[in-house]
Amino acid sequence: MSRISWHQYFMAQSHLLALRSTCTRLTVGATVVRDKRIIAGGYNGSIAGGDHCIDKGCYVIDNHCVRTVHAEMNALLQCAKFGVPTGGAEMYVTHFPCLQCCKSIIQAGIKAVYYAEDYKNHPYAIELFQQAGVQVEHVPFEQAALDSKVHEKVELFEEMLKELENLHADEEKLRALKEQKEKLFQ
C-alpha cells in the first residue's frame, strides 16, 4: 500500500474539520501547517457560545452569512489565541478563500495556500495573493486517498449496474443509479 501524499494528508484534515462546520450554506475547513506539522485548524461556524446557523438559520446580509467566522479566520485566530506564529506557514483549505480571508492570510504571513475547490475566486484576492508573493495552488482532494478499497467498490457498483442492465431494468432508474454512482465516486 502506498502512503498518502502530504498535500492529500493535510487536505484530508481540512475536509475532516469542515465536518464540524455549523454553516448550512457551505462547509469549509482550514489547516495551518509548518514544516509538515499541523499547528492549527478551523472550520466555519459561529462565535464560541453564540447561535449557530444549523440552529437559528443563516443571518444573511448582502447575500453573505454574517453569523459565521470563516474557517481560515478561525484557524488564524487559534494561532493568535495560543501564541503560535504563522509567518512562513502554509494553509490548506477546502475552498478558495474569500477576499477578506485572503487579506488576513497575507497579513498573517502565510507563504502558501492550497485549496481543493474553486469557490467564487475573487479576481482581487488572486491579485493580492500574487502581489504578496503567496503561492496559491489548486489541490483537488482525492477521496480515494482515505479509502483503500475505493477501486474495488467502484468495480462492484459497475458490475451491479451491468447486471441490472442485463436484466433489462427500467432505463430511467438505471440512468439515475449511474448518475448517483458518478457523484459518489467523483
Side-chain angles (χ1 to χ4, degrees), residues 5-146:
S5 73
W6 285 113
H7 279 319
Q8 290 304 309
Y9 174 75
F10 296 126
M11 199 57 79
Q13 177 67 32
S14 294
H15 278 79
L16 186 61
L17 284 161
L19 295 175
R20 290 283 306 152
S21 171
T22 60
C23 181
T24 57
R25 294 163 52 108
L26 182 69
T27 60
V28 180
T31 305
V32 182
V33 174
R34 184 185 0 279
D35 300 324
K36 304 228 182 315
R37 300 289 180 266
I38 295 170
I39 60 173
Y43 53 87
N44 57 331
S46 301
I47 61 166
D51 293 331
H52 295 282
C53 297
I54 57 175
D55 299 322
K56 302 281 184 173
C58 289
Y59 184 8
V60 178
I61 298 175
D62 295 330
N63 201 30
H64 189 78
C65 181
V66 296
R67 189 183 306 276
T68 60
V69 178
H70 289 189
E72 301 92 329
M73 284 302 301
N74 269 325
L76 294 174
L77 290 168
Q78 184 181 53
C79 288
K81 185 176 183 176
F82 295 107
V84 178
T86 53
E90 302 170 316
M91 183 178 281
Y92 287 80
V93 192
T94 56
H95 296 77
F96 189 88
C98 74
L99 182 56
Q100 297 306 316
C101 286
C102 159
K103 292 189 278 185
S104 295
I105 289 166
I106 291 167
Q107 290 302 94
I110 300 293
K111 69 176 182 178
V113 174
Y114 304 101
Y115 69 97
E117 295 181 42
D118 289 312
Y119 183 73
K120 300 180 182 180
N121 302 25
H122 198 286
Y124 190 51
I126 295 167
E127 182 183 329
L128 287 176
F129 278 139
Q130 288 171 341
Q131 216 175 80
V134 175
Q135 176 189 341
V136 177
E137 186 178 334
H138 181 223
V139 177
F141 179 52
E142 299 167 11
Q143 294 279 348
L146 296 180

Side-chain angles (χ1 to χ4, degrees), residues 48 68 71 124 153 182 185:
T68 60
Y124 190 51
K153 291 175 184 177
E182 290 303 315
F185 295 108

